[in-house]
Structures are given as structure tokens and as C-alpha cells.
Amino acid sequence: MIPIFSLQECVSLAMVVAWVVLLSFCKADPASNREAAALLKWKDSLPNQSVFNSWVSPIHTNNPTPLSPCRWYGITCNNAGKVNQIDLPGKGINGTLENFDFSSFPNLVRLDLQRNNFGGSIPYNIGMVSKLQLLDLSTNSLDGSLPLSLANLTLLSKLDVSRNQITGVLDSRLFPGESSTQPKIGLLSLKYLLLQDTQLGGKIPQEIGNLKFLVTLVLDKNHFDGPIPPSFGNLSHLQILNLGNNQLSGNIPSTLATLRNLTDLRLLANNLSDFEAVYAHGA
Ligand SMILES: *[C@@H]1O[C@H](CO)[C@@H](O)[C@H](O)[C@H]1NC(C)=O
Ligand SMILES: *[C@@H]1O[C@H](CO)[C@@H](O)[C@H](O)[C@H]1NC(C)=O
Ligand SMILES: *[C@@H]1O[C@H](CO)[C@@H](O)[C@H](O)[C@H]1NC(C)=O
Ligand SMILES: *[C@@H]1O[C@H](CO)[C@@H](O)[C@H](O)[C@H]1NC(C)=O
Ligand SMILES: *[C@@H]1O[C@H](CO)[C@@H](O)[C@H](O)[C@H]1NC(C)=O
């Protein structure tokens, strides 16, 4: 039976249809579309692997709902529906970060890609995720140097790039002091800095002493030489200091003895003098 509508019913029906069309446009939030598109572009640049099976666009699934990555494996969104966490630790993922468009994730606070098989270098545009608080790229096969753009991550609380093939030096501009020029950039909020077992070398910059919130500093199994900066005595919250297995030389700075919160001090396998004195204090 074919339904016959009155003019009034037709008008109401047309309005309902208009609303449905309008609402579906509103739901197709362009920001989360951009995030989804960026994630799919990255996925497509990697070898096919099952960890990304849930990362599919509606074109592939005939799913009529707008593209939202919030339910994809490893992705978390904030209340506004924007991606704020990417957690893919220990999945054995093969690939690189070369095609990861960091500029598409202005709300990202957490990026955890530890214990995978990511190779290549850390892209310069990582500096675009300026709200990032946790960056864990440890235990991968990343090479190249630490990009200076990391200085843009002023809210970063934890940086862990341990167990990679990172080369070069620690750039002192990542750790600016109070008197530095405006605008204020640098890893100003760091509590945990872990660069264990990489290929980093050169001097340990004394500017690390500017990281006033630092709790953990782990730089063992690298090629650092020269002295331990006396400025470490300014790190009043420091609990763990591990500089073992480097080529550090000279005296152990007496300023370390003022670190009242230090409970774990490791300086073994270096070329330091007067080891006994400070070890006795730490014990
Ligand atoms: C990718 O892997 C999934 C299962 O893991 C499989 O269903 C799909 O056909 C694969 N796609 C390509 C292009 O190889
Ligand atoms: C990564 O590549 C290796 C070597 O080709 C392979 O054995 C492994 O299964 C790959 N990992 C995944 C998650 O597909
Ligand atoms: C730093 O972040 C701002 C946005 O907060 C961005 O415009 C700029 O390009 C970033 N710089 C680098 C070096 O990534
Ligand atoms: C940090 O330590 C150095 C050397 O111990 C000292 O000269 C400097 O004044 C200290 N800076 C601050 C801000 O406390
Ligand atoms: C260790 O220090 C001694 C004396 O200061 C020096 O002769 C030696 O070359 C140093 N070794 C290394 C590996 O730096």
C-alpha cells in the first residue's frame, strides 16, 4: 500500500529529512576526520599487520557513520572526540614514523610506541605535538639524532628513547635556563629523562641542571665523556641518577652530596676519581 501524505505531513517529513541530513554533516567533525585520515595514511605506509585491523575507513566497510578513530585499537579520545592518546606498546610493529603527520594531532598528550620495531629517524615535525606529556619510543631501532624541535614540547613530563641507535650529542638548547630569551621553549617540565643504551656521546650538557622538576635521569650505556656537571646539584627532586657505562672523567662533583632525595646513584664503569667518597654518602 502506497502511503499518501497531506501537504502538512510532507512539510514535517521534509523537515525531519533535512534535520537528519544536517545532523550527519555536523557529526562528521572535520578535526577527527583529519586525525583519522592521518592515522590511515600512516597505517598505509607500514607493512600490513593485524594490530591495525580496526583502523579502517567507512569506504572500506560500507559503514555509514562518520569517520571517527576513537574506537580504533590503541587510540583514545578526549571528551571533545579528539585523539589525545596513542598507545601501541610491545606489538612488534614494523615500520617508520616518516609518514606520521604529527601536525594532525594538536591534542595528543601521550604517545607510547615502546617495544616495537620502528626504524628510521625521529621526524623533525614531532615538535608539532606541543601538548605532549609522555613520549616513549624506547626499545625500537630508531637512528639519527634527537631533533632540536623536541624543545617545543614544553609540557613533556616523560621522555624515554632508551635502547635505540640514536647518535649525536645532547643539545644544550633542549634545556634552557631561567634567563633564556623569549619565547620560552625547551623541555621545561621533564620529570623523567631516560636515554639508556643508545649511541649518544659528547659532553653531558650542564644545562640539564636547569630541569628543576627532574626525578629520574638515566644516561647509562652511552658514549658520554668529560665531567659530571656540578649543576646536577640543583636537581633537588632527583631520586635516580644513573650515568654508568660511559667515559666520564674527573672528580665527582661535591654538589651531588646536597641531593637529599637521591636514593639510587650509579656511576660504575666510567673513568672517575674519588668514587668512594660520594658512594659512602649515597649509601
Ligand atoms: C592484511 O591483513 C589482513 C589480516 O591480518 C588480511 O585480511 C588482509 O587481506 C591483508 N591485506 C593485504 C592488502 O594484504
Ligand atoms: C615484522 O617483521 C618481521 C620480519 O619480517 C616478522 O617476522 C614479524 O612478524 C613482523 N611483525 C608483525 C607485527 O607483522
Ligand atoms: C612548535 O609548535 C607550534 C605550535 O604550538 C608550531 O607552530 C611550530 O611549528 C612548532 N615548532 C616546531 C619546531 O615543531
Ligand atoms: C646551579 O648549579 C651551579 C653549579 O653548582 C651554580 O653555579 C648555579 O648557580 C646553580 N643555578 C641555580 C639556578 O641554582
Ligand atoms: C682514564 O683516566 C686516566 C687518568 O686520568 C687516563 O690516563 C686514561 O686515558 C683515561 N681512560 C679513558 C678510557 O678515558
Side-chain angles (χ1 to χ4, degrees), residues 124-131 148-153 185:
Y124 188 80
N125 77 359
I126 198 162
M128 301 297 289
V129 282
S130 51
K131 290 193 187 146
L148 190 53
S149 60
L150 286 171
N152 224 20
L153 309 184
I185 61 160

Side-chain angles (χ1 to χ4, degrees), residues 150-157 173-178 180 183-191 210-214:
L150 286 171
N152 224 20
L153 309 184
T154 54
L155 303 176
L156 198 65
S157 167
R173 286 170 288 179
L174 292 171
F175 320 107
E178 299 287 336
S180 288
K184 201 71 188 154
I185 61 160
L187 295 168
L188 309 168
S189 306
L190 272 192
K191 286 184 175 169
N210 292 325
L211 299 174
K212 56 183 172 203
F213 303 113
L214 206 60

Side-chain angles (χ1 to χ4, degrees), residues 26-272:
C26 292
K27 272 183 78 186
D29 179 355
S32 77
N33 274 354
R34 185 175 175 212
E35 293 173 333
L39 290 170
L40 290 176
K41 179 175 157 247
W42 183 48
K43 173 193 172 181
D44 289 345
S45 77
L46 307 175
N48 190 19
Q49 34 209 333
S50 58
V51 66
F52 297 115
N53 282 355
S54 65
W55 294 27
V56 283
S57 72
I59 304 148
H60 298 128
T61 58
N62 291 325
N63 182 346
T65 55
L67 193 54
S68 167
C70 298
R71 294 181 163 213
W72 293 356
Y73 183 82
I75 306 296
T76 308
C77 292
N78 61 18
N79 290 338
K82 308 291 188 293
V83 172
N84 67 348
Q85 298 186 20
I86 300 176
D87 291 287
L88 295 166
K91 298 296 163 198
I93 302 169
N94 294 314
T96 73
L97 298 174
E98 201 182 321
N99 291 293
F100 189 98
D101 182 7
F102 289 93
S103 67
S104 296
F105 302 95
N107 298 288
L108 197 66
V109 295
R110 198 183 147 92
L111 179 59
D112 183 356
L113 301 177
Q114 65 175 294
R115 291 180 287 114
N116 286 296
N117 296 322
F118 287 110
S121 56
I122 302 173
Y124 188 80
N125 77 359
I126 198 162
M128 301 297 289
V129 282
S130 51
K131 290 193 187 146
L132 206 62
Q133 291 171 26
L134 178 143
L135 177 59
D136 195 337
L137 302 173
S138 63
T139 319
N140 278 286
S141 303
L142 296 165
D143 56 28
S145 53
L146 292 175
L148 190 53
S149 60
L150 286 171
N152 224 20
L153 309 184
T154 54
L155 303 176
L156 198 65
S157 167
K158 178 170 180 176
L159 175 62
D160 193 347
V161 193
S162 298
R163 292 170 299 283
N164 280 286
Q165 303 305 311
I166 303 295
T167 53
V169 299
L170 278 179
D171 195 307
S172 62
R173 286 170 288 179
L174 292 171
F175 320 107
E178 299 287 336
S179 58
S180 288
T181 49
Q182 304 298 326
K184 201 71 188 154
I185 61 160
L187 295 168
L188 309 168
S189 306
L190 272 192
K191 286 184 175 169
Y192 309 95
L193 176 57
L194 299 103
L195 299 167
Q196 176 180 59
D197 197 359
T198 74
Q199 303 294 324
L200 285 164
K203 307 264 179 292
I204 297 178
Q206 55 136 16
E207 286 81 357
I208 287 184
N210 292 325
L211 299 174
K212 56 183 172 203
F213 303 113
L214 206 60
V215 170
T216 297
L217 178 58
V218 173
L219 301 176
D220 64 308
K221 299 201 187 97
N222 284 292
H223 306 298
F224 292 116
D225 57 25
I228 299 175
S231 62
F232 281 10
N234 296 336
L235 299 169
S236 57
H237 297 288
L238 200 64
Q239 292 173 16
I240 298 175
L241 177 60
N242 188 347
L243 305 175
N245 286 281
N246 281 290
Q247 284 111 49
L248 299 172
S249 56
N251 293 333
I252 297 171
S254 57
T255 53
L256 292 193
T258 67
L259 296 175
R260 295 292 160 208
N261 293 307
L262 194 64
T263 53
D264 191 346
L265 173 65
R266 296 179 200 216
L267 304 174
L268 280 169
N270 278 294
N271 203 13
L272 297 162

